[in-house]
Amino acid sequence: MKRPLTYRPAQQPSRYEQRRDADQRRGSAAQRLYGARWRAARLAYLAAHPLCVMCEAKGKIEAAEVVDHVRPHRGDLQLFWDEANWQSLCAPCHDRDKQSAERRGVLKPWGDDAWDR
């Protein structure tokens, strides 16, 4: 089933153009601090903390794939490299639950008593 055509004024950029422009503005992974040093630190952290902390708090056992910054670093190098600000998450928890919590303004680590659903 095809999606119906929608009207878009000629001067308004398409979604593809909007995403492309946003990606160009945000810079490369290395420019955003996620270069070789981060990849090595991430692998070491995941080896030491292999389980998703959000799933553990819900009584599930799930392998972590993402090292997440509890508080967004926003370019602050001290906060970026502070391992106390890192947590291991599985991709679904990072992409769904953590992003939702950030939008709501909940910025606490997911410990035994922090995640209650």
Side-chain angles (χ1 to χ4, degrees), residues 76-89:
D76 178 348
L77 287 175
Q78 283 294 114
L79 195 55
F80 184 87
W81 292 110
D82 180 9
E83 286 192 34
N85 187 43
W86 296 357
Q87 62 185 351
S88 298
L89 299 176

Side-chain angles (χ1 to χ4, degrees), residues 10-75:
Q11 69 275 13
Q12 183 180 7
S14 69
R15 285 186 183 160
Y16 169 79
E17 293 166 330
Q18 291 171 348
R19 286 187 194 128
R20 183 198 61 208
D21 294 345
D23 283 345
Q24 288 174 345
R25 283 191 306 272
R26 77 182 208 161
S28 71
Q31 290 169 331
R32 292 178 288 124
L33 306 174
Y34 296 101
R37 182 178 170 203
W38 167 254
R39 288 191 300 273
R42 174 192 168 277
L43 287 175
Y45 191 84
L46 287 173
H49 305 89
L51 299 178
C52 173
V53 295
M54 291 175 83
C55 287
E56 279 186 303
K58 294 183 268 184
K60 298 180 186 176
I61 296 177
E62 194 68 43
E65 306 165 45
V66 179
V67 176
D68 175 63
H69 291 90
V70 177
R71 287 182 46 224
H73 59 84
R74 306 210 192 293

Side-chain angles (χ1 to χ4, degrees), residues 72 74 93-107 110:
R74 306 210 192 293
C93 285
H94 177 265
D95 296 347
R96 180 191 58 229
D97 301 336
K98 174 65 178 2
Q99 301 298 322
S100 173
E102 281 186 353
R103 283 192 294 275
R104 290 190 323 264
V106 179
L107 297 176
W110 307 105

